[in-house]
Amino acid sequence: MVSAKKSLVGYAFISPWLLGFLAFTAYPFLTSLYLSFTRYNIVQTPVWVGGANYHNLLTGDPLFWKSLGVTFHFALIAVPLGVILGVTLALLLNLDLKGMGVYRTIFFLPSILPTVATSVVFLWLFNPEIGLINRILRAVGVTGPEWLQSPQWALPSLVILSLWAVGGSMVIYLAGLKDIPTHLYEAATIDGATAWQRLRHVTLPMLSPVIFFNLIMGVIGVFQYFTEAYIMTPGGGPEDSTHFYAVYLFERAWRYLDMGYASAMAWVLFLVIMVITGLLFWTQRRWVHYEG
């Protein structure tokens, strides 16, 4: 009786969260699954069409495959570069030097700036005529590319922008470095290990769980990449070179009011992320090392 009363008290305390979860997460989640099997334009009642939306996606919509390919291409470049740059910055900022806290703050600040404001600033930086980047290149005798106006350079430009906010993951790597026991470095030094060997055989293996976490979060985030592409390259960019999956999903939902089709796209995206995440969890047994 006492335990049941305690359970009721506990449920009473978490009831606001439960109600919020049911109303704002579980209900929309299940509703989108139902809508993915319907034709629905918000105004009229949903009409059940079975698997027609999924069939059209996979067999009759070339832009679906184009947007998925653009997103995969971006992920294959941006995620590894983000991991490498984040780890490198964390290693540099982990040095015991005077004023290091200032540098850590400077590198972290871009990750908390508003995304829209950052996108507008980079629109100017990447401007081929008056942008700062091309002006600097012209000053040293180099003709800069068209950046966001070029099909070849539009996607790399967004990759560069994604690295601007690498300070968020850098802080997590830095916390992981601080958690590595110092006695491991002392033992490696006594055994005659060089700085590179200590990095290769002590730092990276001990940091691998943190790298794995940021890798998973990076993959999830990159498949939902939207704001920067939508602001900086409206309409999918030159020749649809930056027509990301999330941008196309948004267009189907709110430009064409094809909510059933957009819901089907959302569920395909969910399955893609689940499969990739599952593959990463499968590979972690070979390269992620957990202490103890």
Side-chain angles (χ1 to χ4, degrees), residues 148-163:
L148 298 171
Q149 299 176 19
S150 166
Q152 291 75 33
W153 281 95
L155 194 66
S157 300
L158 294 178
V159 171
I160 295 172
L161 173 58
S162 72
L163 299 179

Side-chain angles (χ1 to χ4, degrees), residues 206-226:
M206 296 300 296
L207 194 63
S208 59
V210 181
I211 296 175
F212 178 67
F213 169 79
N214 277 330
L215 180 62
I216 294 293
M217 299 305 295
V219 168
I220 295 173
V222 84
F223 274 92
Q224 301 176 66
Y225 195 78
F226 172 78

Side-chain angles (χ1 to χ4, degrees), residues 66 70 146-158 229 232-243:
K66 173 71 175 181
V70 168
E146 295 293 316
W147 297 112
L148 298 171
Q149 299 176 19
S150 166
Q152 291 75 33
W153 281 95
L155 194 66
S157 300
L158 294 178
M232 299 178 70
T233 56
E239 300 180 14
D240 289 324
S241 57
T242 60
H243 213 144

Side-chain angles (χ1 to χ4, degrees), residues 61 63-64 67 243-252 265:
D61 189 351
L63 192 52
F64 163 78
S67 63
H243 213 144
F244 285 84
Y245 193 92
V247 174
Y248 184 42
L249 193 157
F250 174 85
E251 290 173 348
R252 295 296 306 209
M265 288 186 64

Side-chain angles (χ1 to χ4, degrees), residues 147-192:
W147 297 112
L148 298 171
Q149 299 176 19
S150 166
Q152 291 75 33
W153 281 95
L155 194 66
S157 300
L158 294 178
V159 171
I160 295 172
L161 173 58
S162 72
L163 299 179
W164 168 253
V166 77
S169 63
M170 176 268 297
V171 170
I172 301 176
Y173 291 127
L174 191 58
L177 290 172
K178 295 296 184 182
D179 198 43
I180 299 176
T182 56
H183 68 80
L184 296 178
Y185 292 110
E186 294 170 355
T189 303
I190 293 173
D191 289 338

